[in-house]
Amino acid sequence: KPDKKAYDAEQDKIKAEIDALQIKLTSVRDKIGGTTKSGPGNDHRNALRAELDSIRDKQSANKTSRGKVLDQLKSLQDGAQKKIKDLQAAKTKINFKTVAEVDAHIKQVPNIVESGNMKLAEEKRALQDISSSKRNRRAVEGFQAEQESIDALRHSIDELKKQLDDPESKAVSERYDAIKAELDELKREGDEAYPDRSKLFEERDNLQSQIKNLFNEKRDSAQRFRDANDRYWNKVNEDRARRAERARLQRAAEEAQKKQDLAERIREEAQVPAFQAQIEDCQTLIDYFSGKSSGHVSFKSASLSVKAEVAGVPKLDIRKVEEIPEGLVALNKKGKAEDAYFVGGKGKGKGKKAASSSSANTPLNVPLPTLSALLSLSIPPPSASVDVPRVIEDLKTKKTWFEANQARVTAENISKAEADIRRL
């Protein structure tokens, strides 16, 4: 699997190199544009010049308005200076600065006169001083009004100075100076770069070639990563498909083997001769009732033998009947009397005849396996010894029928088994 972190690191490195070269290329193009009228640098220069002309128009309008303000400011300043000078000249002629000082002087002079210590000429001068002080009092009162007028003029002058110090006008002026400086710098760079235009073109072409190569390298790296990633996932998918196919084939082989085993079992069971167990049981029963065999006899058809297990079919638990031990006799049902009983007689021959008749009608004790074998063959069991020939004859008839139909039924079983195998 390709390393995604290594791929991202490689892509970032190439991108950083491309960005650095792009910055250099932009700078070289700007220098080239500064040496040609159609270059991008010239467009920037024209935009700066247009902005500079617009600022000059604003400054011209501001200058006209500023001239009016300056004229008004000069007029107010001149008026304020004149009033200040006049006020100062008037104050120099009067020794009192405030009305309170004048009033205090006016009150003091009559007290001196009334003391009687003054000469007549001094009293006359004192009275003249009082009259002069009263006139001066009116003049001092005018000083306050004149001072308030001067303060109002100074306030108007300050407001006009604030208009001259407008921040917007100052910002426009600063922008004008910045544009002028930038245009001068562009002109200087253009003058320096003009003789080296061929070198600039060569440097531009070299930078463009490097950037192109880096873009190709970046594209090739991305393609290699995509191809490696595709190969990895194709391999993963192929391995997954291969494992799935292997598992599918294994399941199919196991299923086919199961079907083959089942077919062989069905075929083997069908090839067993039909009624073979019944024929052997018939012969065994014939020998038994004919007295040719004695003791424990096993029967194939009556033992409820189970066929070979078939795959997918659960095995049945068959209930087995326990055999009656030898020497035990089944009891008759309650309420029924014994058929055989001893009858006494007068003569010897009559006694033998009665004994013979009693022996023939004696109930026959048939072992349970033999009884089961007879019932499986649908032959009623003998109720007494006299019934044994009938049972033997029935067994021979059954055996003859089984032997006569054995080949046909066997062929049918084989045909049916083959049909079942074909369905499998």
Side-chain angles (χ1 to χ4, degrees):
K1 185 176 182 179
D3 190 353
K4 183 68 164 57
K5 291 183 179 180
Y7 165 72
D8 292 337
E10 183 180 8
Q11 290 286 307
D12 293 340
K13 177 177 176 295
I14 296 175
K15 185 177 183 302
E17 293 178 0
I18 291 174
D19 293 339
L21 291 176
Q22 289 282 14
I23 294 173
K24 292 183 180 179
L25 180 61
T26 302
S27 176
V28 172
R29 283 175 174 172
D30 291 341
K31 290 180 181 179
I32 293 175
T35 61
T36 58
K37 294 182 178 180
S38 59
N42 192 57
D43 295 338
H44 180 59
R45 189 183 298 106
N46 292 336
L48 291 176
R49 285 174 179 171
E51 186 177 359
L52 192 65
D53 293 339
S54 175
I55 290 175
R56 281 173 179 168
D57 294 339
K58 287 182 180 179
Q59 285 182 335
S60 178
N62 291 337
K63 187 174 181 181
T64 301
S65 177
R66 186 181 179 86
K68 293 180 181 180
V69 173
L70 288 173
D71 293 340
Q72 187 178 359
L73 180 63
K74 188 175 183 303
S75 176
L76 290 176
Q77 286 177 339
D78 292 342
Q81 289 293 333
K82 184 177 182 303
K83 284 189 176 185
I84 290 170
K85 288 180 180 179
D86 293 341
L87 180 61
Q88 289 177 349
K91 285 183 177 181
T92 56
K93 294 178 182 180
I94 298 174
N95 295 326
F96 305 103
K97 295 181 179 181
T98 63
V99 175
E101 290 179 359
V102 176
D103 292 340
H105 182 70
I106 292 174
K107 288 181 181 180
Q108 185 180 8
V109 172
N111 292 332
I112 296 174
V113 173
E114 290 177 358
S115 66
N117 296 324
M118 299 179 66
K119 295 180 180 180
L120 182 60
E122 291 177 348
E123 289 181 356
K124 288 182 180 179
R125 283 195 298 273
L127 292 174
Q128 291 176 356
D129 186 24
I130 290 172
S131 299
S132 176
S133 295
K134 289 182 179 179
R135 287 194 301 273
N136 289 335
R137 186 179 187 282
R138 288 192 293 270
V140 170
E141 290 178 349
F143 291 165
Q144 184 66 29
E146 192 68 18
Q147 184 64 42
E148 291 177 356
S149 175
I150 291 172
D151 292 339
L153 286 174
R154 285 176 175 172
H155 180 71
S156 299
I157 290 171
D158 291 338
E159 292 295 326
L160 290 175
K161 285 182 178 180
K162 288 181 180 180
Q163 292 183 12
L164 293 175
D165 294 336
D166 184 17
E168 183 178 357
S169 299
K170 187 177 180 181
V172 170
S173 179
E174 291 176 353
R175 177 60 182 163
Y176 178 87
D177 294 339
I179 293 174
K180 191 71 170 59
E182 187 174 358
L183 286 173
D184 293 342
E185 181 65 18
L186 290 175
K187 184 176 183 303
R188 183 187 64 78
E189 291 179 356
D191 293 341
E192 292 178 356
Y194 188 81
D196 298 331
R197 281 189 304 171
S198 59
K199 295 182 179 179
L200 291 175
F201 285 128
E202 184 178 353
E203 184 178 0
R204 181 199 63 184
D205 296 340
N206 186 25
L207 290 172
Q208 288 178 341
S209 177
Q210 293 180 26
I211 292 172
K212 182 179 179 181
N213 293 333
L214 286 174
F215 271 116
N216 292 334
E217 183 180 352
K218 187 172 184 290
R219 191 181 305 110
D220 294 340
S221 175
Q223 187 62 42
R224 287 194 302 271
F225 178 79
R226 284 195 296 269
D227 293 342
N229 206 37
D230 292 342
R231 286 194 300 270
Y232 169 76
W233 286 111
N234 289 336
K235 182 66 168 58
V236 170
N237 293 331
E238 289 175 359
D239 292 343
R240 187 181 294 117
R242 193 178 299 109
R243 287 193 299 269
E245 179 65 17
R246 192 160 51 243
R248 187 189 67 80
L249 293 175
Q250 184 177 358
R251 288 194 300 271
E254 292 175 355
E255 190 68 22
Q257 184 62 37
K258 289 180 181 179
K259 290 181 180 180
Q260 184 177 356
D261 294 343
L262 180 58
E264 290 178 357
R265 182 178 300 176
I266 292 173
R267 187 176 287 112
E268 289 176 359
E269 292 177 355
Q271 290 175 352
V272 174
F275 309 128
Q276 186 64 34
Q278 287 84 349
I279 293 171
E280 293 177 1
D281 287 348
C282 287
Q283 186 60 48
T284 301
L285 289 171
I286 291 171
D287 293 340
Y288 175 76
F289 285 109
S290 299
K292 295 180 180 180
S293 63
S294 60
H296 179 73
V297 181
S298 61
F299 300 95
K300 294 183 179 180
S301 62
S303 60
L304 299 179
S305 59
V306 183
K307 292 185 178 181
E309 296 180 8
V310 179
V313 179
K315 183 177 180 181
L316 299 177
D317 292 333
I318 300 174
R319 179 175 176 271
K320 296 182 179 180
V321 181
E322 296 181 357
E323 296 182 358
I324 299 175
E326 293 185 14
L328 296 182
V329 180
L331 296 176
N332 290 330
K333 291 184 179 179
K334 188 177 180 181
K336 289 187 178 180
E338 293 288 346
D339 291 336
Y341 56 92
F342 177 78
V343 181
K346 295 181 179 179
K348 184 179 180 181
K350 187 176 180 179
K352 289 182 180 180
K353 182 178 180 181
S356 176
S357 175
S358 175
S359 177
N361 293 324
T362 299
L364 186 63
N365 296 325
V366 181
L368 185 58
T370 304
L371 184 62
S372 299
L374 289 172
L375 292 176
S376 68
L377 295 172
S378 300
I379 297 175
S383 58
S385 299
V386 72
D387 202 17
V388 170
R390 189 267 308 165
V391 174
I392 293 174
E393 190 63 29
D394 291 343
L395 288 170
K396 290 180 178 179
T397 303
K398 280 280 185 182
K399 180 182 177 183
T400 302
W401 186 89
F402 285 143
E403 291 174 345
N405 291 276
Q406 185 178 38
R408 177 183 61 81
V409 175
T410 301
E412 291 177 356
N413 290 339
I414 293 174
S415 177
K416 183 180 179 181
E418 293 297 334
D420 293 339
I421 292 172
R422 284 194 295 272
R423 280 196 297 273
L424 289 175

